[in-house]
Amino acid sequence: NDPMRRLAEMLEPAERAVGAATALGDAPLTAAALAVRALAESMTGKPEVAEPDRAAAAVRLDSLSDDAIADRLDALAWLAGMELYADRYAEADAHASRALAIARSTGQGDLFLVLVQELGRVWFVRGKLAEADITSRNSFSASGVPPAAILPMSQIAVRWVSRSVVTTRSFRPLAFSRATCAMISGPT
């Protein structure tokens, strides 16, 4: 259960995913694969290798319409996560906020916990404390999720992220249906 070994194990499938997505000519899929590879590279101590992948993913995603990216919101979430890890807070804020806005407008809730955690940390670091507080309080209070459940939900979200490398968009946790409804409807 060595965390560094597990992160390093992400690199080989990410390499294959980048190659396959590029061969297909699927820009959102390629961006998702590049973002996953960049995250794995940066977390295994190779930030200089990760930056070109991050930049390439960002260029692809920033050039796409919301409609074009709606089926690959994980690409924005992966990219925002990598940017958060690399202290690129403005970029992480923009990408996670965009993903949350698209999720709300399309009724998708799969990435709710990931995005709320990313945005909470980004907004804390950027000094957007009122925005972070209001968003998190409204999202969780409207969902009916008790505060004591947030840590276990966070742990489940981390597990979901690690599984999504293998089975992207196949895990839709029913236990979070009320939280998902709150995320979709936005702050009240």
Side-chain angles (χ1 to χ4, degrees):
N1 285 337
D2 176 23
M4 290 305 289
R5 184 180 57 80
R6 292 192 55 119
L7 288 168
E9 289 172 357
M10 288 175 59
L11 289 171
E12 194 267 324
E15 290 286 339
R16 286 194 322 254
V18 169
T22 302
L24 290 171
D26 184 327
L29 182 61
T30 301
L34 285 166
V36 168
R37 185 169 72 182
L39 181 63
E41 290 164 343
S42 67
M43 294 183 89
T44 54
K46 302 174 191 160
E48 69 287 346
V49 177
E51 180 52 29
D53 283 342
R54 185 215 59 82
V59 166
R60 280 178 173 79
L61 292 170
D62 292 346
S63 70
L64 295 171
S65 70
D66 290 354
D67 288 340
I69 206 166
D71 289 334
R72 293 295 336 180
L73 289 181
D74 62 314
L76 286 169
W78 285 118
L79 179 58
M82 187 282 168
E83 290 167 336
L84 179 61
Y85 187 77
D87 299 334
R88 299 182 74 96
Y89 301 115
E91 294 95 330
D93 190 346
H95 291 124
S97 293
R98 182 179 180 202
L100 186 58
I102 296 169
R104 284 181 170 152
S105 71
T106 59
Q108 298 179 59
D110 297 14
L111 297 172
F112 166 69
L113 291 174
V114 173
L115 295 171
V116 167
Q117 288 181 359
E118 286 176 347
L119 286 169
R121 181 163 172 219
V122 166
W123 290 341
F124 175 78
V125 171
R126 296 190 76 200
K128 295 181 171 184
L129 301 181
E131 189 172 358
D133 182 54
I134 290 167
T135 299
S136 64
R137 210 171 341 140
N138 286 343
S139 294
F140 283 102
S141 66
S143 71
V145 176
I150 294 172
L151 180 60
M153 288 171 61
S154 298
Q155 293 167 339
I156 290 169
V158 168
R159 279 189 233 122
W160 181 84
V161 168
S162 66
R163 286 183 191 151
S164 69
V165 173
V166 179
T167 59
T168 301
R169 297 187 52 76
S170 65
F171 181 65
R172 296 181 184 264
L174 297 177
F176 301 136
S177 61
R178 292 183 71 197
T180 299
C181 291
M183 184 280 300
I184 292 167
S185 62
T188 53

